[in-house]
Amino acid sequence: DARVTQTPRDKVTEMGQEVTMRCQPILGHNTVFWYRQTMMQGLELLAYFRNRAPLDDSGMPKDRFSAEMPDATLATLKIQPSEPRDSAVYFCASGFGGQETQYFGPGTRLLVL
Amino acid sequence: KQEVTQIPAALSVPEGENLVLNCSFTDSAIYNLQWFRQDPGKGLTSLLLIQSSQREQTSGRLNASLDKSSGRSTLYIAASQPGDSATYLCAVLSGSARQLTFGSGTQLTVLP
């Protein structure tokens, strides 16, 4: 049963610390998305990659957030330095092509104190 | 900028009822529309995907319709069950960057 995996599932950190979230897309999928979900803003697209190349990261605060795909099996989202307003659930999703269903991971619940 | 609205924000129904969830979007130039289900503390599960050229899709007790010209979609759930309790999110794929824009969801509770 292929699925997207994310680590860690939960992260509590103090303001100013670096946070790294990891995602393993479904094998064979060539598109990876990072979303952030909060009560106030709902689900927002932060960045996405196709064939490991970043296509759009306009939803991401550039000064503190960075997203990479070191290889086809790993996507990372880093926050440095973290702030309390970054507290949210971060989802990774993968898909194939441009118009197909996206498959979501279970999310990383981040709390920045 | 694409905006997606879902009404109602919350809905509570007794088991066995048929129900309709609504979704509207501002830019009708979409590639497709998807309905997702999200359980508390979990990720999203895709329920139905309707391509822009289609009018509806069915899966079991679920039927989703799309009226692209009017910017509306509905998700019909027949014979609701307590296990259907979840938040249902509508999302449209649009724009040159082919981004998914999500609605804020409808929180459904089916009472036994």
Side-chain angles (χ1 to χ4, degrees):
Chain A
D1 185 23
R3 58 183 68 187
V4 176
T5 58
Q6 289 185 248
T7 57
R9 292 296 309 277
D10 290 278
K11 176 72 175 180
V12 180
T13 191
E14 293 186 345
M15 183 173 63
Q17 296 298 306
E18 177 178 302
V19 175
T20 298
M21 291 169 271
R22 293 177 174 81
C23 167
Q24 184 172 3
I26 293 174
L27 191 64
H29 283 185
N30 68 344
T31 312
V32 174
F33 306 83
W34 283 105
Y35 293 92
R36 176 171 61 185
Q37 187 175 39
T38 61
M39 289 292 292
M40 294 299 294
Q41 300 296 327
L43 263 166
E44 303 172 285
L45 178 68
L46 297 176
Y48 81 98
F49 295 79
R50 180 161 298 143
N51 297 320
R52 293 179 56 201
L55 286 193
D56 189 350
D57 60 2
S58 59
M60 205 164 64
K62 302 287 193 307
D63 56 338
R64 299 183 299 107
F65 285 60
S66 62
E68 297 179 346
M69 278 202 75
D71 60 61
T73 64
L74 176 65
T76 62
L77 180 66
K78 290 186 182 180
I79 308 174
Q80 170 61 25
S82 57
E83 297 181 2
R85 59 180 167 151
D86 300 329
S87 298
V89 181
Y90 291 81
F91 288 104
C92 172
S94 72
F96 188 82
Q99 294 181 231
E100 301 304 318
T101 299
Q102 294 182 20
Y103 295 83
F104 279 72
T108 293
R109 189 179 303 270
L110 174 64
L111 177 61
V112 183
L113 302 173
Chain B
K1 179 184 174 185
Q2 180 73 267
E3 293 182 4
V4 180
T5 303
Q6 291 187 245
I7 295 173
L11 181 64
S12 183
V13 300
E15 182 177 3
E17 272 203 10
N18 303 324
L19 58 101
V20 174
L21 308 181
N22 297 291
C23 171
S24 61
F25 46 95
T26 54
D27 184 354
S28 62
I30 67 171
Y31 297 102
N32 62 42
L33 181 145
Q34 296 184 61
W35 283 93
F36 291 86
R37 168 183 173 141
Q38 184 174 28
D39 293 282
K42 301 288 180 62
L44 281 69
T45 301
S46 181
L47 298 173
L48 290 164
L49 183 152
I50 312 176
Q51 300 291 355
S52 61
S53 58
Q54 298 174 323
R55 298 281 295 183
E56 65 177 348
Q57 281 287 336
T58 299
S59 175
R61 295 181 293 109
L62 305 179
N63 176 275
S65 67
L66 173 64
D67 184 342
K68 200 173 70 165
S69 61
S70 68
R72 295 174 191 269
S73 175
T74 61
L75 178 66
Y76 175 83
I77 303 177
S80 58
Q81 303 171 357
D84 295 330
S85 298
T87 296
Y88 291 81
L89 294 135
C90 165
V92 297
L93 188 72
S94 63
S96 57
R98 293 180 183 246
Q99 293 186 12
L100 263 185
T101 304
F102 284 83
S104 54
T106 294
Q107 187 174 358
L108 173 67
T109 303
V110 181
L111 303 169

